[in-house]
Amino acid sequence: MSTDQYHEPPAELSEETRTFARMCASLSEEAEAIGWYEQRIAVEKDEVAKAIMLDSLGEEYKHFSMELEFLLRAKPKWRETAQGILFTSGDIVEHGEAAEEAAS
C-alpha cells in the first residue's frame, strides 16, 4: 500500500486522520481530472467524443463536490470559512479575508 499521501508515519496517525488524508488526496485527484477534461474538451473536434467528455466532466464535478462536502463536515472551522466564500458574489479575496477572520 502506498503511503505517499502521508507526511507522518501512517501507523502513528489515527484512522480518522488517515481517512481525512485519503479524502484530501481524492479531492485533489478530482480537481486534476476536471482540469484535464476542460483541456480535452477545449480542443476536441469530434462532437460525439466531446459529448462523452462533457458527461465525464459532470461526474468529476459530482465526485469533487461530494468529497469537499465530506471534508467540510469533518472540519467545522473549514466549513465556517468556506460558507463565507462559496456561493457569494463580489470580491472573492475580500470574502476570504472576512471569512477567515470570522472563523478565528
Side-chain angles (χ1 to χ4, degrees), residues 33-67:
I34 289 167
W36 291 340
Y37 276 115
E38 289 288 344
Q39 292 175 51
R40 292 171 184 159
I41 291 163
V43 298
E44 183 54 56
K45 305 265 190 273
D46 184 288
E47 291 304 315
V48 175
K50 186 181 275 192
I52 293 167
M53 289 178 202
L54 284 165
D55 185 70
S56 296
L57 178 59
E59 287 290 313
E60 303 302 342
Y61 288 159
K62 178 183 76 175
H63 298 155
F64 180 92
S65 298
M66 291 187 316
E67 290 157 4

Side-chain angles (χ1 to χ4, degrees), residues 15-36:
E15 184 62 34
E16 180 181 333
T17 299
R18 290 192 311 270
T19 295
F20 188 82
R22 285 192 291 271
M23 292 302 286
C24 284
S26 293
L27 184 73
S28 178
E29 291 162 1
E30 296 298 342
E32 188 173 45
I34 289 167
W36 291 340

Side-chain angles (χ1 to χ4, degrees), residues 3-16:
T3 58
D4 293 345
Q5 68 199 29
Y6 302 114
H7 295 281
E8 299 296 331
E12 294 180 24
L13 301 173
S14 69
E15 184 62 34
E16 180 181 333

